[in-house]
Amino acid sequence: MSAIPQERRVVTAIPGPKSQELQARRLAAVAAGVGSTLPVFTARAGGGIIEDVDGNRLIDFGSGIAVTSVGASAEAVVRRASAQLQDFTHTCFMVTPYEGYVAVAEQLAELTPGDHAKKSALFNSGAEAVENAVKIARAYTKRQAVVVFDHGYHGRTNLTMALTSKNMPYKNGFGPFAPEVYRVPVAYGYRWLTGPENAGAEASAQAIDMINKQIGADNVAAIIIEPVLGEGGFIEPAKGFLPAISQFAKDNGIVFVADEIQSGFCRTGQWFACEDEGIVPDLITTAKGIAGGMPLAAVTGRAEIMDSAHAGGLGGTYGGNPVACAAALGAIETMKELDLNGRAKRIEEAMKARLATMAEKYDIIGDIRGRGAMIAIELVKDRASKTPNPEAAGALAKACHAEGLLVLTCGTYGNVLRFLPPLVIGEDLLNEGLDIIEQAFTGV
């Protein structure tokens, strides 16, 4: 556990004077297109706390967008990465390899779903992982088309912007985008017109019909989906949807790719979210929670698919950096030792119980959803119309920030408040954060 005291402390306005000074420097030196949820400048972070340069301690319900699941200064991550820094920072795995890369690939083969032979390739970011999954799928199938889903998010590179469904802020003005990308419906139960009980069967039938009619299954290299859709609003596809799409892919020689960049590594109370309905993907992309905050990503999958790219076709100068690999081994060690899947499940129980109580009082909470420590509330004008209420999401986030609780918004309509606490957060901090959320509702 971190040496930082695990208690909230607000000693200045948020952001405080030192953060405001740094923000002025930032505005002069950093491109305006790089945004920030909250311009509070971090001095230290660990456990469930972010300490800023003014001495404020904020409760962290963001985890750097699901990255610091083991905390932002986990002992095993710091120990292993520090030792690696002493030995060497870089050689480039494609020039002279090193054991850490191989050890991470071995861990991924062990932890990801399925008992088939698996191999991995390591990269720097989630977007890179998704882009390389497409390359591998195209090499294996000798096909070109890629199918993605409404409300999906897959990254900010040119190809992954094409795969991403939300225009603002991710795509607007940045086109033209990569071709041969096709979007089909997802089973968004809360907003499915005939009701959530019908969403799984109807949405999968619609998606499969569109693929067959508009693209032709024989032309599809890959189907890519987040088992829990992240930026789109923490949407859990209705039960039956993922198995139907996965089976369709299998029947038609299509590579089924689970994008577990936000939902992986114990975040949902399982090592990977696709395990919930027994899905065994052909390829799985990971990043975020893999390395405790160090930049690392991976594509892991069936050995025969992973080996289809020609020698030299995959890689990158920094891919599988030795310090990041050491950090990943420390993060995985921490997840196993502390049973962070169990911790995530306990966080879900606590959060959903409290949020359900809030929903009894506040009609603007339209839906409570998610699994593990990946929980969200969708905010609406009223429950009858389900009209999205992004203003409420913004106001609630602002009220929480002022009280020293970091929360994030998301959703295609900007109306979802999402909660991604570190899996190592203490129960007292978790409950205090929920108290702040409850209090924030009184002012909306």
Side-chain angles (χ1 to χ4, degrees), residues 187-192 196 228 232-238 351-352 355-360 362-371 374-384 386-389 396 410 415-419 441:
Y188 186 171
Y190 178 64
R191 294 195 173 276
W192 198 254
V228 177
F234 284 23
I235 299 162
E236 288 185 88
M351 293 198 99
K352 282 191 169 175
L355 293 168
T357 302
M358 293 179 215
E360 290 172 9
Y362 302 106
D363 193 47
I364 60 170
I365 299 176
D367 194 27
I368 302 165
R369 57 176 178 254
R371 296 202 300 273
M374 189 174 182
I375 303 295
I377 50 176
E378 179 161 356
L379 301 163
V380 292
K381 303 284 188 187
D382 61 82
R383 288 182 189 154
K386 298 185 181 178
T387 303
N389 194 342
L396 284 164
C410 67
N415 67 322
V416 176
L417 208 57
R418 58 173 159 171
F419 311 117
F441 270 101

Side-chain angles (χ1 to χ4, degrees), residues 144-223:
Q144 293 184 338
V146 180
V147 172
V148 288
F149 295 83
D150 283 340
H151 309 287
Y153 175 86
H154 301 287
R156 295 175 183 264
T157 60
N158 185 266
L159 174 57
T160 57
M161 278 192 293
L163 302 175
T164 291
S165 64
K166 189 175 180 180
N167 175 53
M168 267 310 272
Y170 305 117
K171 302 168 73 167
N172 194 53
F174 297 143
F177 302 115
E180 287 300 310
V181 173
Y182 301 88
R183 197 173 316 284
V184 296
V186 75
Y188 186 171
Y190 178 64
R191 294 195 173 276
W192 198 254
L193 288 176
T194 61
E197 67 280 2
N198 300 315
E202 291 180 3
S204 58
Q206 282 185 27
I208 289 166
D209 186 56
M210 287 173 70
I211 294 167
N212 284 324
K213 284 181 179 173
Q214 297 181 23
I215 315 162
D218 291 347
N219 294 315
V220 179
I223 294 175

